[in-house]
Structure formats: C-alpha cells, structure tokens
Amino acid sequence: HFETQTGAELQTWHTFTRMTSLTSNPMEDIENMEGEYMEGSSGHRRNRSNPEPEQTRPQPPRSLDFQSATSSISLTTPSSPGDGLGKTTKLENMKNWTISTYKCSRQSLYEKMGKTSKTVDPELEDQIDTLRNTQKKYSEILRLARALSSHFYNMVQTQNSLGECFSDLAHKSPELQQEFLYNAEAQRNLTKNGQKLLASLNFFVSSVNTIVNKTMEDSLLTVKQYETARVEYDAYRTDLEFYTAAKETEANQMKLSETQLSFNNKKAEFEKLRSDVQIKLKFLDENRVKVMAKQLLLFHTAVSAYFSGNQVALEESMKQFAGKVKTPATSWIEQ
C-alpha cells in the first residue's frame, strides 16, 4: 500500500497515468480508477495487492441484421360510406356542366357565323333594347344631377363664408357698417334658401339613383338570365333536331331520349324566365313613369322658386319633399 497522499499529489498522479495509457480503452481506465482508490479512515489509499482480472472488451458484431417493421394499423384516412357517392355526384355534375358549356359555346358561335337558327321574340327584344337605352339616358341624367348638386353645394358654402366675412367687417368698419350688414343679411338668406334647394337636389338624385342602379339593374339581371336560358334552349333544340333526323340505331335512340329529357327541362326554364322578364318590364315601365313624373315636377318647382326668389314656393316645395321622405311611398320603386 502507498502512503497517504494529498489531493494535489493524487491529481498529478492521475494526469501522469492517463498520459501514459493513451492507447488503452477509456472505459477500462474508469473501471481501474474506481478499483484503485479506496476510502479509509486516514484518507484515500491505493490498493494493488488484489488487482482485478482484466475484463475482455466486447467486440462489435460482424454484420447488422435489420428487420423490416410491420404494423397492422392502416395508414390511410378512413372514409365514410357516403364519400364514394359524393365523389361520383361531383364528377357527374362536372361532366354535365362541361357538356352544357360546350353546347352553349357552340350555339353562340354558330349563331354569330350564321350556321344555325335562334329563337327570337321580336316584341320582347324591342322592350329589352328600350330598357337598356333608357338606363343609359337615365344614367346621364344621374351624372349631371350629381354634378349640379356638387357645384351648388360649393356655391352655398361660398355664400355662407362670404356672409360671415361681411358680418365681421361690419363690426370692424364703422364707416361701412350699414352696407356690410345689408350684404351679410342677403348672403345669409341666399345660404338658407340654397340649403333648401340642395336638399331637393339630393332627394332627386337619390330617387333617380334608385331607379337606375336598383330597379332597372334588377330587371336587366333577369334579362341576362333569360338570354342564357335561351341559348341553352336553342343548343338542346339543335341537338334534338340532329338526333331526330339521324339513323335509328341503338346508340342514336339512347342519345335521342337523353336529349329529349334535357330539352324539356331547358324549355320549361326558358319559358318561365321569359314570362318573368315580360312581367318585370311591364311593371317597371308603369312605375318609372309614375315616379319620375312626381320627381320632375318637384324638381322644377324647387329650382324655379329658388332662382325667382319666391321663398314661399320654395318652402312649399320643401314640404312636399319632406312628405315624400317621411310617409311610405305607394310605388314599389320608391319603397
């Protein structure tokens, strides 16, 4: 056994031992260090009397045997019983949409090229053309009325500012106080009457905007649906005429039955939309005349009263405008 050594000496001995055994196994050094030092009553002592037999280092395997991992759990997403039916329905809808789009595109192209006939309702087509022209003209009236309202608003604001300027100068210029006061009062009256006329103009603009961008636009939307249904109807009508004149084979008879069913559906849809368009155009024309007659009369009264200086007539016109705003309108366009 060695004598008792201090901690510093032990550290030096450990360093020397490790440097002289760089070629040895590090794991063996750790095991030897654990066996060489034992803790006694007088400190750490080194024991070499009973050295432990050298243990054999484990050798790595010559080859690696990898086995494929298997599992009974399905890695695919479980599907519900209705998924297959839903996919089939979507594919069928896409197929029908593609066929219908092709037929309509072909029909439109042949109509432009003059290679096929189209269903025409001369009276209804004239009414539709009249509606489109009327909307263009009313849109121009709406644009000009908005411009007039905007310019008149700026004029009223200028008159109001001018009146305030005259009133301020009346207090600061005693020599012209009376003249400034007269002009300030005149500008205040013009501003007050101008605000009434501006309210009348804004109400007129609002009414025309309702007719142009709501009522007429709704009717034209129905017209677009009717025109689309007409093209579909003519496309299936052309196919029906083709299979009717074709040879009576089994395939042609099946196609004839399918085309006949589709043609009946498109015909019913086309006739329904044509009836809707006729009804809407009739009511639109009646109510347009009724509403515009009232609006034009009130507009004329308000403008004439303002520029003629007739304050009583202007106030009476404003009462009629106020009544139109507060009371429920009898026309469905005004509603």
Side-chain angles (χ1 to χ4, degrees), residues 306-328:
Y306 173 81
F307 286 101
S308 64
N310 191 346
Q311 185 175 358
V312 177
L314 182 59
E315 291 179 354
E316 184 65 25
S317 177
M318 279 302 303
K319 291 180 181 179
Q320 297 183 34
F321 274 108
K324 292 285 291 180
V325 174
K326 293 180 181 178
T327 58

Side-chain angles (χ1 to χ4, degrees), residues 130-173:
T130 302
L131 173 60
R132 286 177 173 151
N133 292 331
T134 303
Q135 188 190 33
K136 291 180 180 179
K137 295 177 181 179
Y138 275 55
S139 297
E140 184 65 14
I141 293 176
L142 178 61
R143 184 186 68 83
L144 295 174
R146 282 175 172 169
L148 176 62
S149 177
S150 176
H151 296 324
F152 193 76
Y153 171 79
N154 293 330
M155 187 184 75
V156 170
Q157 294 299 316
T158 303
Q159 289 175 339
N160 183 45
S161 300
L162 186 60
E164 293 178 354
C165 185
F166 285 155
S167 178
D168 182 62
L169 288 173
H171 298 287
K172 297 180 180 181
S173 302

